[in-house]
Amino acid sequence: QVQLVESGGGLVQAGGSLRLSCAASGRASSAYVLGWFRQAPGKERMFVSLITRSDGTTYYADNVKGRFTISRDNAKNTVYLQMSSLKPEDTAVYYCASTYGIGLITAPNDYAYWGQGTQVTVSS
């Protein structure tokens, strides 16, 4: 049963923008916290951003703060990640995830539901 499906990745030049979408279904759609993570080749999966389902509280990793914006449309069960001023170091597979945990949860192991990932490549 598919729970989270990402879309919107692609190839973009440095300084450009992309918007990722994550459509949620099933139990994943009613989770308290929805997050974005990314994993570059040979590196660990890292936290990018999260948003709470109840009041829309957002939180960002320091290296994307001011460039990325997370938002959600609860009616559509969709979370978005608007990425601007992209840098080559933003190149990674981006994953959407959700958890019934409460609070600013940034550890991947604390998320129960994961999408399949979408590739973002930023060329210099």
Side-chain angles (χ1 to χ4, degrees), residues 55-66:
D55 61 4
T57 297
T58 60
Y59 185 64
Y60 298 92
D62 287 342
N63 57 359
V64 306
K65 200 174 297 181

Side-chain angles (χ1 to χ4, degrees), residues 48-81:
V48 175
S49 181
L50 66 81
I51 188 167
T52 62
R53 192 173 189 276
S54 58
D55 61 4
T57 297
T58 60
Y59 185 64
Y60 298 92
D62 287 342
N63 57 359
V64 306
K65 200 174 297 181
R67 300 188 299 121
F68 290 11
T69 302
I70 190 171
S71 61
R72 90 265 191 250
D73 185 334
N74 286 345
K76 295 182 178 181
N77 288 326
T78 300
V79 177
Y80 305 97
L81 186 68

Side-chain angles (χ1 to χ4, degrees), residues 1-16:
Q1 181 181 357
V2 176
Q3 301 268 6
L4 297 168
V5 180
E6 303 97 334
S7 61
L11 173 64
V12 63
Q13 288 189 332

Side-chain angles (χ1 to χ4, degrees), residues 22-64:
C22 173
S25 62
R27 277 187 54 82
S29 65
S30 56
Y32 301 144
V33 177
L34 300 105
W36 285 97
F37 292 78
R38 67 187 184 187
Q39 188 167 18
K43 296 189 176 180
E44 294 183 350
R45 191 168 297 188
M46 302 295 293
F47 169 77
V48 175
S49 181
L50 66 81
I51 188 167
T52 62
R53 192 173 189 276
S54 58
D55 61 4
T57 297
T58 60
Y59 185 64
Y60 298 92
D62 287 342
N63 57 359
V64 306

Side-chain angles (χ1 to χ4, degrees), residues 13-16 63 67 84-91 121-123:
Q13 288 189 332
N63 57 359
R67 300 188 299 121
S84 303
S85 301
L86 283 162
K87 306 174 181 180
E89 51 264 43
D90 293 318
T91 295
T121 303
V122 184
S123 62

Side-chain angles (χ1 to χ4, degrees), residues 3-4 27-28 31 33 37 96-101 105 107-115:
Q3 301 268 6
L4 297 168
R27 277 187 54 82
V33 177
F37 292 78
C96 175
S98 66
T99 176
Y100 279 86
I105 301 171
N109 287 344
D110 291 332
Y111 283 75
Y113 303 96
W114 289 87

